[in-house]
Amino acid sequence: KKFFPPPPPPHTHTHSLSFSLSLSLSQPEGKGQSQMDVFWDVWAEHPNYIAAALTFFTVIEVISGVATTAGRESGLRDAGDFGFNPLGFKDTMEMRTKEIANGRLAMLAAAGMIMQGMTTHNGCLTNLLTGE
C-alpha cells in the first residue's frame, strides 16, 4: 500500500476538497468485529503507527508536565488551570471537587466501554440498542 497517492496530472480539474480527502492517510482495513479487534489488527500490520502515536503522546505529556510543575512552583497557576473559563464560573473548592469526581467517573466509563468492546465484540451503542 502506498502511504500517499500521487497527485493528479496538471490538466485535470480536481475539486480541492476531494483532492485533500484523497491525500488523507489510508486506513488499514480491520478484519475484526470490534474496535479492539481493529486495534490489534493494526498492531499486527503496522506496529510503527502505534509506536509513533505512543511516542507523540508521551512527548506531549512530558512537556505539559514540566510546564505544569514550573507554573505551580512559580505560583503563576494551579495544576490543571489553563485559564479557560469562558462562562466565568466561580473557582471554589466545591467546584474543584466536583470536577475531580466527574473526571474519575468519566475515566471509569471509558474503561467500561473498552472492556465491553473487548468482551462482546460490539460497540457500547450497539450493546445499548440491542440489549446484548
Side-chain angles (χ1 to χ4, degrees):
K1 288 184 179 179
K2 286 187 173 184
F3 200 66
F4 290 105
H11 64 276
T12 61
H13 298 287
T14 306
H15 189 269
S16 62
L17 178 62
S18 63
F19 178 67
S20 65
L21 291 177
S22 69
L23 284 179
S24 64
L25 298 176
S26 62
Q27 297 178 355
E29 295 180 20
K31 299 175 194 71
Q33 298 178 8
S34 71
Q35 62 268 30
M36 291 306 299
D37 292 333
V38 172
F39 172 82
W40 290 116
D41 289 343
V42 171
W43 178 265
E45 292 176 22
H46 305 287
N48 54 336
Y49 290 1
I50 306 298
L54 289 175
T55 302
F56 173 75
F57 289 125
T58 300
V59 168
I60 296 298
E61 287 294 324
V62 167
I63 291 170
S64 66
V66 169
T68 300
T69 303
R72 224 181 13 214
E73 288 174 351
S74 67
L76 294 176
R77 67 181 182 93
D78 292 331
D81 181 16
F82 295 102
F84 182 75
N85 189 4
L87 299 178
F89 291 118
K90 290 185 178 180
D91 185 19
T92 63
M93 284 307 291
E94 179 186 6
M95 292 302 287
R96 289 181 182 197
T97 304
K98 287 180 180 180
E99 185 175 2
I100 290 172
N102 288 330
R104 290 177 179 165
L105 182 63
M107 286 187 282
L108 286 173
M113 291 188 325
I114 292 170
M115 184 59 83
Q116 187 177 38
M118 290 172 59
T119 56
T120 64
H121 297 284
N122 289 320
C124 60
L125 291 179
T126 303
N127 288 332
L128 180 67
L129 296 175
T130 61
E132 292 181 10

